[in-house]
Amino acid sequence: MKRIFTIALMLGWVVALHAAKPTMDQFVDDLMSRMTLQEKIGQLNLQVAGDITTGSAQDTEVVGLVAAGKLGGVFNLKGVDKIKMLQEAAVKRSRLGIPLLVGMDVIHGYETIFPIPLAQSCTWDTTLVREAAHIAAREATADGINWVYSPMVDIALDARWGRIAEGGGEDPFLGSLMGAAMIRGYQGDYSGTDNVMACVKHYALYGAVEAGRDYNTVDMSRLRMYNQYFPPYKAAVEAGVGSVMSSFNIVDGVPATANDWLLNDVLRRQWQFDGFVVTDYGSIGEMTNHGLGDVLHNSAMALAAGTDMDMCTTGFLNQLETALAQGLVTEQQIDVACRRVLEAKWKLGLFDNPYKYCDARRRARDIYTDSNRRAARAMAAQSMVLLKNAGGTLPLQRTGKIALIGPLANDRANVAGTWCVAYTPERYSTLLEAMQRAVKGKATVTYAQGCNLTADEALQRAAEFGKTIPRGDDATMRREALEVASQTDVIVCAMGECADMSGESSSRATLELPDVQMSLLKELCALGKPVVLLNFSGRPTVLAWEQEHVDAIVNVWFGGSEAADAMCDILFGDVNPSGRLTVTMPQCVGQVPIYYNHLNTGRPVATGDSVYHKYASNYLEVRNDPLYPFGYGLSYTTFAYGEPVMSAPTMALNGSVDVRVRVTNTGACRGVETVQLYLRDPVALISRPVKELKGFRRVELAPGESREVTFTITPELLQYYDGNGVPHLEPGRIDVMVGPNSRDLHSTHFDVMQ
Ligand code: BGC
């Protein structure tokens, strides 16, 4: 009897608990049954709220929209107080009290800024990348944000495109791993107050804009989409990304935002994405310029194609009721989109506690902390790529006199890189400050700016870049720099692009060092002293002259808030460089787009061939090889590779095979080597790349130490897609290549058997 009573009691609890905590479906069903059509449409509207200020905010337009239930979310608003005030307006003043999504472009950190994503990928370290995203999420949530517009996983092969800075480079395999790591770092399982929802972007093909000009047209075969451009988006879905942002460009003639094939067929049916799709900024409005029609038609088309939330056009808010009345959309389509947005809010726990991310006490505890800064500094040092080091110029000794020259040497606003909405540059160090700390009084550092960022003041003003870098007379500055440099033992040049010369709307038609910087560098080299170039860049730049004449080159990218200290860590050898390029660096801009995993063509020219061949696929003035290949990067030590050995000569179609290689540190100091595996399928039903990265391993070795590295090759690594997204793998030979970069490889092979 007692037992029956206990069981009944337990059942009662279960029922009671169940009643207290409905499932997501039950909750959303119930909520939607109480929503009017206008309230449902309101959830699909997303707007910027950057102009909100506490105090007068009660009267602003955004608060009015929130209270009227006409906003599903806001973005790029900084400050937990302002965000809490808006959230209160949603919860207390709107009829159903539905909380807001609060988004931000947290691209590579919040106030602690990590290296730009392109540089992050050069660490080849997914654990570090995941941790950086988690720290960014912790800082952002401490300030009220619950949704971040990252990662950008657009494959980019064209260095002219400024947004190459925001992605993981040119390779689909590495890019997939980087994007997935970021998503896991941001989202966790949504249970913590330090988890945000990620938004993978820009789906799809945004990185393939013609001529590298931002917002330009894209045209591509489906074969290429599935094999080269889609994998990182697919990997993001597999990593559980909560939202997807559609891209500005057309895909197969139809803007991505209204592309039924892209959103409904590929994203939702083939890849089983179950989150929501938001447009990019004003994308629905831009469909008119693409030639698709008016905003009524375009809003209807976007909704029907599977777009759920409209960023900044207000097409959904203002047109969907009319579209419904005219039969252009169905009520069910509005319901589906509304449900997806509400589900996102449910996943984030906002219905349980709308103020989950509004704890003002967290700022002091979680933002720009010493440990966050240490992580950013370590990652920045690991992302920098040593491109040349003639005669062991680096690391520098902490003795004698060092000249520090260049427009980027004494500026704190540019070190972090493009697009840091929440950054606080007044707290970041300049390279000059960091270097003075780093020499610990044992060497002297003398500084001169040397030149302007570019000679063209009008361009600089129009593009609004490098505003914080003082402008002066180039001839006078150059004289001063040469004077300073001639009295020192070594010259360190901090030159290159400023932060805003990459990123959105910053396409370039040339890739060399800007004019006046180049001529100053030439004069400094003519002094005959050792010259080190720290190349600041948000993209692969052209360093052909520098490779011939400068003693040492470090591509420092933009390393984030702690970049200045990290550069010194590399310069003085406190950290041994281990960054490896994830983009090919061209010899000249005419080679662009240039990438290592290209197809062979019918008239190929062998890598390293030094002469022009008539009727072969090459240029008259320059050879096909890049200046620095994908995967390339030096260390202060050296490594030697043994020959790769297969565990078996064959692999079954559903089996696997291992390849082993021995790597030895042959130099004088401890270092990290990134061992890279490339595969080639030389005979297939379609033309396949000359090689594709399919594995990598970072190994740390003491001088003289050697380690065997094993990669397991599975059918998933070998298969390719047809134009319908169906994977294929046929029996036959597979070439296996292992080495330190995509050029200097040791090969073997095996056969896939039926
Ligand atoms: C960019 C997106 C960004 C959005 C919101 C757009 O211009 O393309 O990457 O997330 O603005 O700021």
Side-chain angles (χ1 to χ4, degrees):
M1 187 62 191
K2 198 171 158 199
R3 235 172 92 194
I4 292 171
F5 180 73
T6 315
I7 291 170
L9 201 69
M10 280 170 64
L11 272 175
W13 278 342
V14 172
V15 170
L17 272 177
H18 205 67
K21 180 78 185 158
T23 63
M24 180 170 77
D25 285 349
Q26 288 166 338
F27 180 88
V28 174
D29 282 346
D30 172 65
L31 180 56
M32 285 185 61
S33 72
R34 290 180 284 126
M35 291 173 81
T36 62
L37 176 67
Q38 289 78 10
E39 283 167 334
K40 290 175 186 169
I41 292 173
Q43 288 301 307
L44 315 185
N45 186 31
L46 172 68
Q47 274 177 221
V48 261
D51 55 346
I52 298 272
T53 49
T54 331
S56 63
Q58 304 296 329
D59 307 322
T60 64
E61 192 199 345
V62 173
V63 176
L65 285 173
V66 172
K70 290 183 172 177
L71 259 185
V74 293
F75 70 101
N76 284 355
L77 177 62
K78 189 179 180 193
V80 69
D81 295 340
K82 297 178 210 166
I83 289 171
K84 184 159 188 214
M85 184 273 301
L86 266 192
Q87 203 62 286
E88 270 172 359
V91 172
K92 295 184 182 157
R93 290 174 56 186
S94 74
R95 192 178 75 89
L96 291 169
I98 301 174
L100 294 165
L101 289 173
V102 183
M104 187 183 269
D105 286 295
V106 176
I107 306 298
H108 49 117
Y110 188 73
E111 287 190 20
T112 305
I113 306 289
F114 289 84
I116 54 168
L118 177 59
Q120 291 195 25
S121 69
C122 293
T123 64
W124 295 61
D125 191 334
T126 51
T127 310
L128 221 58
V129 168
R130 178 179 175 155
E131 182 54 21
H134 187 211
I135 291 172
R138 194 180 312 132
E139 292 199 1
T141 52
D143 230 7
I145 303 298
N146 55 40
W147 185 28
V148 296
Y149 303 146
S150 170
M152 184 192 103
V153 299
D154 305 326
I155 294 293
L157 313 179
D158 195 325
R160 292 170 296 184
W161 190 51
R163 301 198 78 171
I164 199 170
E166 294 172 50
E170 72 191 33
D171 185 64
F173 179 81
L174 188 78
S176 297
L177 293 174
M178 290 296 161
M182 285 173 121
I183 290 162
R184 295 196 174 100
Y186 288 134
Q187 295 189 165
D189 60 1
Y190 296 124
S191 62
T193 50
D194 58 354
N195 297 143
V196 279
M197 184 165 282
C199 183
V200 69
K201 64 191 190 183
H202 307 82
Y203 184 65
L205 318 181
Y206 184 23
V209 284
E210 278 180 6
R213 206 183 69 223
D214 211 358
Y215 318 121
N216 201 3
T217 298
V218 174
D219 196 7
M220 190 184 290
S221 72
R222 290 194 176 178
L223 265 183
R224 193 171 198 189
M225 292 183 203
Y226 277 112
N227 287 294
Q228 197 175 5
Y229 281 79
F230 279 175
Y233 307 113
K234 181 167 183 275
V237 172
E238 285 163 3
V241 72
S243 62
V244 170
M245 188 184 293
S246 62
S247 57
F248 289 127
N249 53 279
I250 56 167
V251 173
D252 248 347
V254 179
T257 295
N259 195 310
D260 184 60
W261 173 75
L262 196 67
L263 300 178
N264 281 331
D265 287 353
V266 179
L267 182 66
R268 296 196 191 280
R269 290 190 200 103
Q270 290 184 12
W271 300 345
Q272 304 281 301
F273 173 63
D274 66 357
F276 73 101
V277 174
V278 61
T279 72
D280 201 346
Y281 202 114
S283 288
I284 292 178
E286 290 181 16
M287 286 174 62
T288 305
N289 286 342
H290 280 294
L292 272 286
D294 61 17
V295 68
L296 169 67
H297 173 262
N298 295 338
S299 302
M301 197 175 160
L303 182 82
T307 289
D308 305 305
M309 195 177 235
D310 165 8
M311 186 196 285
C312 293
T313 298
T314 59
F316 280 2
L317 184 71
N318 297 328
Q319 308 292 334
L320 284 187
E321 270 187 83
T322 314
L324 182 64
Q326 293 185 10
L328 298 174
V329 297
T330 65
E331 196 161 350
Q332 199 213 347
Q333 286 166 335
I334 296 173
D335 280 354
V336 167
C338 175
R339 173 175 293 276
R340 291 184 187 136
V341 172
L342 295 175
E343 283 176 356
K345 296 181 177 186
W346 193 90
K347 288 178 197 162
L348 282 166
L350 290 173
F351 290 112
D352 287 339
N353 176 9
Y355 309 113
K356 181 177 167 191
Y357 304 100
C358 294
D359 179 353
R361 290 164 307 181
R362 282 186 56 198
R363 161 162 274 280
R365 197 177 69 214
D366 288 337
I367 297 183
Y368 203 60
T369 62
D370 287 349
S371 84
N372 293 357
R373 293 179 60 194
R374 270 196 303 276
R377 177 171 173 171
M379 185 192 239
Q382 195 172 314
S383 74
M384 294 171 186
V385 184
L386 180 63
L387 295 173
K388 181 180 178 189
N389 193 17
T393 307
L394 291 177
L396 299 181
Q397 302 303 311
R398 287 179 160 96
T399 52
K401 294 183 189 155
I402 304 169
L404 177 61
I405 312 279
L408 290 150
N410 193 25
D411 181 89
R412 68 189 83 255
N414 283 283
V415 283
T418 182
W419 216 5
C420 319
V421 175
Y423 84 149
T424 51
E426 61 284 357
R427 293 191 291 188
Y428 310 156
S429 292
T430 70
L431 178 57
L432 176 59
E433 289 162 351
M435 207 184 256
Q436 271 154 349
R437 276 196 299 271
V439 295
K440 300 175 180 160
K442 295 181 199 151
T444 51
V445 180
T446 36
Y447 159 75
Q449 181 176 326
C451 64
N452 288 307
L453 184 71
T454 69
D456 190 343
E457 187 176 357
L459 167 69
Q460 200 176 329
R461 243 203 324 264
E464 289 210 318
F465 58 62
K467 276 184 295 208
T468 52
I469 299 170
R471 286 201 71 90
D473 173 57
D474 277 307
T476 314
M477 285 194 281
R478 188 174 330 136
R479 252 195 320 275
E480 189 200 346
L482 290 170
E483 171 74 21
V484 163
S486 59
Q487 289 161 22
T488 53
D489 308 313
V490 57
I491 304 166
V492 176
C493 298
M495 295 183 172
E497 303 183 321
C498 70
D500 290 336
M501 285 174 73
S502 59
E504 187 169 354
S505 192
S506 290
S507 297
R508 290 186 63 192
T510 58
L511 296 174
E512 287 85 11
L513 269 186
D515 41 29
V516 274
Q517 297 191 52
M518 191 68 189
S519 55
L520 173 63
L521 181 65
K522 287 182 177 170
E523 292 195 38
L524 290 169
C525 286
L527 293 176
K529 296 171 188 270
V531 175
V532 178
L533 172 64
L534 301 176
N535 187 47
F536 288 66
S537 72
R539 50 161 59 80
T541 53
V542 166
L543 296 169
W545 186 90
E546 293 85 335
Q547 169 63 23
E548 263 192 54
H549 298 96
V550 177
D551 301 280
I553 309 173
V554 188
N555 218 77
V556 295
W557 311 108
F558 289 97
S561 54
E562 314 310 308
D565 287 311
M567 284 183 265
C568 294
D569 292 340
I570 295 288
L571 279 176
F572 295 103
D574 300 332
V575 174
N576 189 351
S578 66
R580 300 287 182 266
L581 296 176
T582 58
V583 275
T584 302
M585 290 184 68
Q587 298 184 54
C588 64
V589 70
Q591 290 182 309
V592 165
I594 182 168
Y595 48 99
Y596 84 95
N597 51 351
H598 56 83
L599 303 180
N600 200 32
T601 81
R603 298 185 178 195
V605 172
T607 303
D609 196 329
S610 59
V611 291
Y612 164 77
H613 295 272
K614 188 81 178 162
Y615 303 121
S617 181
N618 56 175
Y619 301 99
L620 287 172
E621 317 91 320
V622 65
R623 304 283 59 81
N624 288 356
D625 300 319
L627 189 63
Y628 306 110
F630 174 88
Y632 176 84
L634 302 173
S635 161
Y636 294 152
T637 187
T638 47
F639 301 96
Y641 281 72
E643 288 304 317
V645 179
M646 301 304 306
S647 61
T650 60
M651 173 189 125
L653 263 177
N654 58 356
S656 71
V657 68
D658 287 351
V659 57
R660 286 191 298 272
V661 67
R662 185 157 284 282
V663 185
T664 308
N665 181 342
T666 50
C669 63
R670 176 173 281 277
V672 175
E673 171 66 330
T674 301
V675 183
Q676 300 164 33
L677 166 74
Y678 296 85
L679 300 176
R680 180 183 190 185
D681 184 352
V683 182
L685 296 177
I686 58 166
S687 186
R688 303 280 296 120
V690 293
K691 61 190 76 155
E692 292 177 292
L693 181 76
K694 292 295 176 180
F696 57 89
R697 191 85 33 83
R698 282 172 53 85
V699 280
E700 183 168 353
L701 298 171
E705 188 182 351
S706 105
R707 178 113 29 102
E708 191 171 74
V709 175
T710 304
F711 295 103
T712 300
I713 299 169
T714 59
E716 291 71 46
L717 293 181
L718 292 168
Q719 70 195 13
Y720 61 90
Y721 294 98
D722 66 19
N724 296 316
V726 178
H728 286 257
L729 172 62
E730 299 92 34
R733 176 187 164 118
I734 299 292
D735 294 331
V736 178
M737 294 153 271
V738 184
N741 60 61
S742 63
R743 182 190 60 200
D744 305 318
L745 296 164
H746 298 253
S747 315
T748 179
H749 60 92
F750 67 95
D751 286 300
V752 176
M753 308 294 280
Q754 191 68 53

